[in-house]
Amino acid sequence: MPAFLAKRLATLIATLVATSIIVFLVLEILPGDPALLVLGIDASPEQLAVFRSQYGLDRPLLDRYLGWIGDLLVGDFGISYAYKTPVWPLIAERLALTYPLAISAMLLTVLLALSLGVFAAARHNRPADVIVMAISQLGISIPNFWFGLLLILLFAVNLGWLSAGGFPGWSDPGAALQSLILPSIALAAVQAAILARITRSSVLEVLREDFVRTARAKGLSRNAVLWRHVLRNALIPVITIIGLQFGNLLAGAIVVEQVFSLPGLGRLIFQAISNRDIEVVKAAVVLLAFTVVVVNFIVDVLYAVIDPRLKVHDV
């Protein structure tokens, strides 16, 4: 197990280093001068030179990258060009919304997908299976931002049950959680549809194994076999997709936050791109990438917990 974890940890670090290089280079070669965007076209050459010197924009590219990475390692995310304040407090404030939104959408995705996938597999080729697959196909076809608009029209405008957007803050937890209901559903719909189909296929494959017939012959009920034995053996491909989907949910949250007027990390990134606030964009993107990589590292560990053979063969 230690060797297994060490190998996965080395992969995690290498992925983060590669990601940081790509993010830094892509954002640095974008057209536009941050000094001109912040100070305006009427700024004098002296003012522009002072700004570039203050933020290190006049240094060689390699020096800027190494300095940026060194600062990140000690928790210094830099200074925002637009806000003139440290980047980390800006991001931390927005993460307090974006992370709960993505996590709640992930929980809803897993709950719906496992329930519907196992339900459909247990009724293979029956009307219930056809209906679940038809609904999942519809869910895959609907963009989450458009589904979010439909949810607003139904539950906020027509029924008046929930708010159409905005976030009251965590000082009122009840209202805060209520404001995340519709965005979470909008985010989870597509991912749950995908995961439900994968769960169904994986469960159907396991149902054909000999141990399932043996378990039924020993007198175990159909539900006991499905949920205690079949599902566990079918989880490997399902968990793989869950790890990938968390990254999709974070990316989707950026768009859904705009639809529901949520002051999360997505809105901050959009504003930072508009203002050419590169320090904010770099820190936010690297932090999102770090989150996705860590989630996939946890998925790798779960593989070994669910199937000990993976530790033995060290795959």
Side-chain angles (χ1 to χ4, degrees), residues 8-9 34 40-41 60 69 103 127 136 153 165 167 192 201 232 235 245 252 259 266-267 277 301 310:
R8 294 300 184 266
L9 188 59
I41 58 175
I69 285 296
I103 292 171
S136 67
L153 287 174
F167 184 69
S201 298
R232 176 167 182 171
L235 277 181
Q245 283 187 324
V259 174
R267 178 173 293 184
D277 199 347
V301 175
L310 295 176

Side-chain angles (χ1 to χ4, degrees), residues 65 95 179 194 211 218 252 256 258 276 280 284 287 294-295 298 309 313:
Y65 172 75
L95 286 178
S179 69
I194 296 171
F211 79 89
K218 289 182 177 180
V256 169
Q258 303 302 309
R276 195 70 161 74
V280 173
L287 191 59
V294 169
V295 168
I298 295 172
R309 292 174 299 177
H313 299 293

